[in-house]
């Protein structure tokens, strides 16, 4: 059913316009909340990954254009539409590709479940920048990382901007939350903390590729990884660099580490 929007105060649009990310996460219950996917390409990836749509918000021109196949595949989904100017007023900014879809979250998988057949995983430790989260997921998908784990102090991967930056790859790589690094060690993983210390080894050190199960730990850009995390890791790893450059953006560093240690060398 298609609904023409005539007021920016329409109550049916609250989940698109006035709810915070935290409110969306808790919209249904603690196990299953809501997230917003933006752009037809990203929405299609989410649908193919089995996420259930709730409602679509788009410009009129996209109903028979970019969003046509999405709408036809989900005939019971309510469609809210209006002019580009109306939607910009509703959301506070001009939409990317003019399409938003509210979708139900899936229950988060157990750590043991997604690590059962994994060999190379990434741990995102206290990274709160949504752009970096999305970029890390995109590299993880492209370069053969089997799963992504996030500490509770990290940003939610289903944040709207993180999803958009990832180009939907957040829906392709299994992920869940990590409570304690001891869980990884108990499941047979060696941990490699990406950090600059006096006793760090090179990313090219053969010992890293020899590990049957390896977790690559990426920390926040400002402070890096906590000293305790580095201390308890099996390896501390640095990326060799030149011109006295001492660090890379965390998303760039993750891509380099994934290329060297993950799928392309399996």
């Amino acid at each position: 059913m298609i609904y023409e929007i005539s007021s920016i105060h329409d109550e049916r649009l609250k989940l698109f316009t006035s709810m915070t990310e935290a409110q969306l996460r808790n919209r249904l219950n603690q196990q299953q909340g809501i997230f917003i996917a933006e752009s037809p390409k990203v929405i299609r990836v989410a649908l193919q990954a089995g996420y259930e749509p709730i409602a679509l918000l788009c410009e009129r021109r996209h109903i028979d254009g970019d969003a046509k196949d999405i709408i036809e595949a989900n005939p019971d989904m309510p469609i809210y539409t209006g002019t580009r100017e109306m939607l910009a007023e509703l959301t506070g900014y001009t939409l990317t590709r003019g399409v938003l879809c509210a979708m139900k979250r899936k229950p988060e998988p157990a750590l043991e479940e997604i690590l059962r057949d994994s060999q190379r995983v990434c741990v995102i430790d206290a990274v709160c920048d949504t752009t970096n989260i999305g970029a890390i997921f995109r590299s993880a998908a492209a370069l053969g990382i089997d799963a992504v784990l996030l500490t509770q102090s990290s940003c939610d991967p289903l944040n709207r901007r993180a999803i958009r930056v990832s180009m939907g790859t957040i829906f392709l790589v299994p992920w869940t939350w990590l409570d304690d690094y001891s869980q990884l060690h108990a499941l047979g993983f060696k941990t490699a903390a990406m950090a600059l210390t006096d006793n760090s080894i090179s990313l090219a050190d053969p010992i890293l590729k020899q590990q049957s199960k390896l977790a690559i730990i990426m920390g926040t850009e400002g402070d890096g990884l906590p000293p305790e995390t580095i201390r308890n890791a099996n390896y501390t790893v640095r990326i060799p660099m030149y011109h006295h450059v001492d660090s890379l953006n965390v998303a760039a560093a993750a891509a380099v580490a994934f290329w060297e240690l993950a799928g392309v060398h399996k």
Side-chain angles (χ1 to χ4, degrees):
M1 183 69 72
I2 298 175
Y3 301 94
E4 187 75 24
I5 302 303
S6 58
S7 169
I8 64 171
H9 304 296
D10 193 312
E11 284 292 311
R12 294 170 296 181
L13 302 183
K14 284 184 66 175
L15 57 88
F16 289 108
T17 60
S18 59
M19 295 184 70
T20 66
E21 292 286 346
Q23 289 172 327
L24 288 172
R25 285 198 298 274
N26 298 319
R27 184 69 172 85
L28 300 180
N29 54 57
Q30 289 185 347
Q31 285 73 43
Q32 188 179 26
I34 294 171
F35 66 90
I36 306 296
E38 184 175 338
S39 90
K41 179 177 181 179
V42 170
I43 294 166
R44 290 187 193 102
V45 176
L47 291 171
Q48 290 166 4
Y51 286 88
E52 181 182 346
I54 298 172
L56 196 79
L57 175 65
C58 69
E59 296 176 37
R60 291 193 194 104
R61 64 191 178 95
H62 290 308
I63 293 176
D64 292 313
D66 287 351
K68 183 177 181 181
D69 62 317
I70 296 171
I71 294 170
E72 290 178 346
N74 299 276
D76 297 326
M77 176 177 59
I79 314 299
Y80 301 107
T81 188
T83 63
R84 186 178 181 86
E85 293 72 25
M86 168 70 79
L87 297 188
E89 189 176 0
L90 277 169
T91 60
Y93 61 95
T94 301
L95 298 179
T96 301
R97 299 295 299 276
V99 185
L100 294 177
C101 188
M103 311 187 85
K104 291 183 181 179
R105 289 171 177 258
K106 292 181 180 181
E108 291 163 6
L111 184 68
E112 294 79 6
E113 177 186 340
I114 68 170
L115 293 186
R116 185 174 296 118
D117 298 316
S118 297
Q119 295 179 309
R120 294 291 184 268
V121 303
C122 172
V123 180
I124 299 175
D125 190 314
V127 176
C128 298
D129 186 285
T130 53
T131 298
N132 284 333
I133 294 286
I136 291 171
F137 266 88
R138 190 170 181 179
S139 293
L143 300 172
I145 289 294
D146 298 314
V148 174
L149 312 175
L150 302 99
T151 63
Q152 297 289 344
S153 53
S154 293
C155 171
D156 176 21
L158 293 185
N159 172 283
R160 184 187 302 185
R161 181 169 178 78
I163 293 172
R164 185 168 72 245
V165 171
S166 82
M167 294 300 291
T169 54
I170 279 172
F171 307 123
L172 303 179
V173 181
W175 65 271
T176 195
W177 301 98
L178 179 70
D179 294 321
D180 192 278
Y181 284 100
S182 63
Q183 295 173 284
L184 283 172
H185 295 138
L187 292 170
F189 277 83
K190 299 292 186 181
T191 51
M194 301 298 296
L196 293 172
T197 67
D198 292 338
N199 64 343
S200 61
I201 63 173
S202 170
L203 182 64
D205 193 307
I207 196 171
L208 297 172
K209 293 180 185 177
Q210 292 168 8
Q211 304 309 312
S212 59
K213 293 184 176 183
L214 187 67
I216 305 163
I217 308 173
M218 308 302 304
T220 184
E221 286 187 58
D223 299 325
L225 290 170
E228 182 181 4
T229 300
I230 297 172
R231 221 172 22 248
N232 293 332
N234 297 104
Y235 308 102
T236 305
V237 183
R238 70 181 184 279
I239 298 173
M241 287 179 274
Y242 303 92
H243 298 293
H244 306 292
V245 176
D246 62 359
S247 65
L248 295 173
N249 167 277
V250 64
V256 173
F258 298 165
W259 168 259
E260 182 67 23
L261 299 176
V264 293
H265 294 291
K266 286 182 180 178

